[in-house]
Amino acid sequence: MIVDCHGHYTTAPQALWDWRKKQLSQKTVSSAELRISDDEIRQSLESNQLRLQKERGSDVTFFSPRAGSMEHHVGDARISAQWSRVCNDLIHRACALYPKNFAPVCQLPQSPGVAPQDCIAELERCVEELGFIGCNLNPDPSGGWWKEKPLTDKWWYPLYEKLVELDVPAMVHVSSSCNPAFHFTGAHYINADTTAFMQLIQGDLFKDFPQLKFVIPHGGGAVPYHWGRYRGLAQDMKKPLLKDHLLKNVYFDTCVYHQPGIDLLLKVIPVENILFASEMVGAVRGIDPETGQYFDDTKRYIDSSRLGAAEKQKVFEGNAKKVYTRWRI
Amino acid sequence: MIVDCHGHYTTAPQALWDWRKKQLSQKTVSSAELRISDDEIRQSLESNQLRLQKERGSDVTFFSPRAGSMEHHVGDARISAQWSRVCNDLIHRACALYPKNFAPVCQLPQSPGVAPQDCIAELERCVEELGFIGCNLNPDPSGGWWKEKPLTDKWWYPLYEKLVELDVPAMVHVSSSCNPAFHFTGAHYINADTTAFMQLIQGDLFKDFPQLKFVIPHGGGAVPYHWGRYRGLAQDMKKPLLKDHLLKNVYFDTCVYHQPGIDLLLKVIPVENILFASEMVGAVRGIDPETGQYFDDTKRYIDSSRLGAAEKQKVFEGNAKKVYTRWRI
């Protein structure tokens, strides 16, 4: 079985984005005003993610709201709470329509400067009432200005306690960037992955939360490419070896869009810490003229790698089961 | 000949840092108050960079003030101008003492929100009067808050015009981070490299400045690891192939501290665009327990790579001569 641990509902029906516009332009808008039929959901998925699953040979996608649209920096905590609930409910419906193809992952109602514990109610609702198996945690709800405390700060601890209690992992995933310095999928996403990992090196978070699990997307940002730098920095800081310091708790996905990148990832990061993912339909939608295949058809790169069958099974399925313990086929 | 295009005077005599403290704590302090003897300079280099050059087998280092201490965000433009001049003068003296071992690269007197053209006088002084062969350009003089316009903005053009006129390249290098989210050498440096490259993809800077040359340090941040993503994003944006869009003007150094990272860099980036560098004595100072060698002894990785002799010559010397045209042995 091929499990893609990282997909967003980038193709949600236009009514969702129209409702969002209304939400931001009016003082109050009822969630009930959002009308999307099951057929519209089916159509948006069958012509996109479901079609690509079939074409590329993956079986199930861990499916969350469009990351770039979480926009925790827009509006206030109330706006974010309503928007998160609406997006998560839509994910729930999509996954309920195709329970074999999608498993739900939620967006958190974060808001800049608002205590992360305020996200707990929505997290509990999603996990306990709606069967969600994970969440996306934004380390920078300010949207490119990086005003929040590092992920190792006690500021985040109440949320971590709940994640551990519920036994759900968090994918560390930023949203769009309103800082003109940072292109969102080309700089902000990758920088955030790198930044989060370095914060974790600096701290001792997993001493306090030995059961907490983070997935760092986009192949871990720059981290595997600079694995020597990170091992060396940790050593200079008198931290334990990274395999002991972080790799019991931190996982990387395979959203790296060329063969040499995937080969590097598989070479330097233990195979137990790598989860297959493509983020389709996502940041890069074209065909690589050098291969004639879609850039984000990452399964091909794993297939072509030097991993043995047992290792591939871990990357494609086994590790996902281990990390997303609430996922049941 | 082995040319290391990226070294900072991280080991400058204590008197320099003491003077800096005085500069920041007092209203005015004369540059003449800084007293460093030639012997102190010799000692600081012979026990560090010169010793390592010998031990590791490199011949010359393009040498600039300590990057983390440029601190463009500290004080104001006047403070930055005086500090830059002091640091550049010290580099000039160090290089004059060992003209075969060091070639001077200057710090620019940038200051947040201050027009880059205000750096031109110091750049001209360094290049025309003192024989400097390049400069370090900070894309984020705010020190981790990223408040400056992207590098492709016309804001920067007067400085670029001067760089082209003088025919000196700029290494795009941030300074320290005062944003607690970003560890300086573990996140801010690498993020800045990635960010700068993505800004260049988004713009068309080299249409306006076909002669402008940028060196992106630290192996290009995350860029080579995500080369597929960047090729794909450029394609989605209807930009030319990266080799045509950027690689006539943008170069990467080899400050990547493990063999698999260097191998990836050499595999995906054309060899003509790669300049040998180690950044010693720099961010990572320890010995890799996996190899028994210093993490930042990057010459070993190039030596052990699959490059042929002619390609190695380009990386070690030929490309540096091509990019740093003012450098004469």
Side-chain angles (χ1 to χ4, degrees), chain B residues 228-245:
Chain B
R229 170 176 286 254
Y230 292 104
R231 288 193 293 111
L233 285 169
Q235 182 172 292
D236 288 354
M237 290 174 183
K238 316 290 183 206
K239 296 293 183 184
L241 293 175
L242 291 184
K243 72 180 177 59
D244 301 316
H245 188 39

Side-chain angles (χ1 to χ4, degrees), chain A residues 14-214:
Chain A
Q14 186 56 37
L16 179 70
W17 317 121
D18 292 342
W19 184 89
R20 172 65 165 170
K21 266 189 209 162
K22 210 166 172 182
Q23 187 205 27
L24 296 180
S25 63
Q26 298 183 3
K27 272 197 177 162
T28 55
V29 57
S30 160
S31 303
E33 278 189 40
L34 173 62
R35 300 277 167 74
I36 295 176
S37 69
D38 284 356
D39 274 352
E40 286 174 290
I41 295 175
R42 283 193 194 97
Q43 199 187 355
S44 72
L45 294 170
E46 290 191 358
S47 57
N48 292 294
Q49 288 85 352
L50 284 166
R51 175 179 61 79
L52 291 170
Q53 281 186 354
K54 262 184 218 161
E55 286 177 15
R56 300 181 182 181
S58 69
D59 297 291
V60 59
T61 301
F62 295 170
F63 205 49
S64 61
R66 187 161 78 179
S69 303
M70 298 191 295
E71 293 182 329
H72 296 118
H73 54 281
V74 172
D76 55 19
R78 187 189 60 80
I79 294 278
S80 178
Q82 188 188 27
W83 176 232
S84 297
R85 203 175 160 107
V86 159
C87 289
N88 291 334
D89 282 346
L90 189 63
I91 289 292
H92 173 62
R93 288 178 63 197
C95 295
L97 286 171
Y98 301 96
K100 287 185 180 166
N101 297 91
F102 298 105
V105 169
C106 66
Q107 158 179 342
L108 295 174
Q110 296 176 250
S111 192
V114 175
Q117 66 201 59
D118 289 12
C119 297
I120 289 177
E122 178 63 5
L123 176 67
E124 282 187 317
R125 184 183 81 92
C126 287
V127 174
E128 296 190 321
E129 294 177 28
L130 304 178
F132 280 58
I133 63 168
C135 68
N136 292 330
L137 175 65
N138 184 348
D140 172 31
S142 71
W145 299 108
W146 290 93
K147 294 183 176 174
E148 221 73 352
K149 293 175 200 293
L151 289 173
T152 49
D153 193 278
K154 290 201 159 56
W155 170 253
W156 300 92
Y157 274 28
L159 180 60
Y160 297 160
E161 284 164 15
K162 185 54 68 175
L163 289 170
V164 169
E165 183 195 317
L166 294 172
D167 195 22
V168 290
M171 179 172 278
V172 179
H173 203 308
V174 286
S175 185
S176 55
S177 161
C178 42
N179 184 331
F182 302 132
H183 183 274
F184 83 120
T185 55
H188 191 42
Y189 281 21
I190 304 297
N191 291 350
D193 306 332
T194 309
T195 299
F197 191 81
M198 189 63 215
Q199 291 177 355
L200 297 175
I201 288 181
Q202 291 176 268
D204 290 295
L205 182 62
F206 302 116
K207 276 191 185 163
D208 287 343
F209 294 100
Q211 306 301 320
L212 186 61
K213 290 170 288 188
F214 284 156

Side-chain angles (χ1 to χ4, degrees), chain B residues 106-126:
Chain B
C106 67
Q107 158 179 342
L108 295 173
Q110 295 177 251
S111 192
V114 175
Q117 67 202 60
D118 289 12
C119 298
I120 289 177
E122 177 63 5
L123 176 67
E124 283 187 316
R125 183 183 80 93
C126 287

Side-chain angles (χ1 to χ4, degrees), chain A residues 185-186 219 225 229-231 258, chain B residues 185-186 219 225 229-230 258 288:
Chain A
T185 55
Y225 177 48
R229 170 176 285 253
Y230 291 104
R231 289 194 292 110
H258 63 151
Chain B
T185 55
Y225 177 48
R229 170 176 286 254
Y230 292 104
H258 64 151
D288 185 345

Side-chain angles (χ1 to χ4, degrees), chain A residues 145-147 150 179-183 185-187 190-191 194-195 198-199 202 218-219 221-222 224-233 235-237 255-258 260-261 264-265 267-268 279 283-290 295, chain B residues 145-147 150 179-183 185-187 190-191 194-195 198-199 202 218-219 221-222 224-233 235-237 255-258 260-261 264-265 267-268 279 283-290 295:
Chain A
W145 299 108
W146 290 93
K147 294 183 176 174
N179 184 331
F182 302 132
H183 183 274
T185 55
I190 304 297
N191 291 350
T194 309
T195 299
M198 189 63 215
Q199 291 177 355
Q202 291 176 268
H218 320 108
Y225 177 48
H226 286 285
W227 195 236
R229 170 176 285 253
Y230 291 104
R231 289 194 292 110
L233 285 170
Q235 182 172 292
D236 287 353
M237 291 174 181
C255 292
V256 177
Y257 296 155
H258 63 151
L264 174 87
L265 172 68
K267 181 161 196 165
V268 302
E279 204 174 8
V284 179
R285 305 199 175 186
I287 288 174
D288 186 344
E290 295 182 7
F295 281 107
Chain B
W145 298 109
W146 288 93
K147 294 183 178 175
N179 184 331
F182 301 133
H183 182 274
T185 55
I190 305 296
N191 291 350
T194 309
T195 299
M198 189 63 214
Q199 290 177 357
Q202 290 176 269
H218 320 109
Y225 177 48
H226 286 286
W227 195 237
R229 170 176 286 254
Y230 292 104
R231 288 193 293 111
L233 285 169
Q235 182 172 292
D236 288 354
M237 290 174 183
C255 293
V256 177
Y257 296 155
H258 64 151
L264 174 87
L265 171 68
K267 181 160 195 164
V268 303
E279 205 175 6
V284 179
R285 305 199 175 187
I287 288 174
D288 185 345
E290 295 181 7
F295 280 107

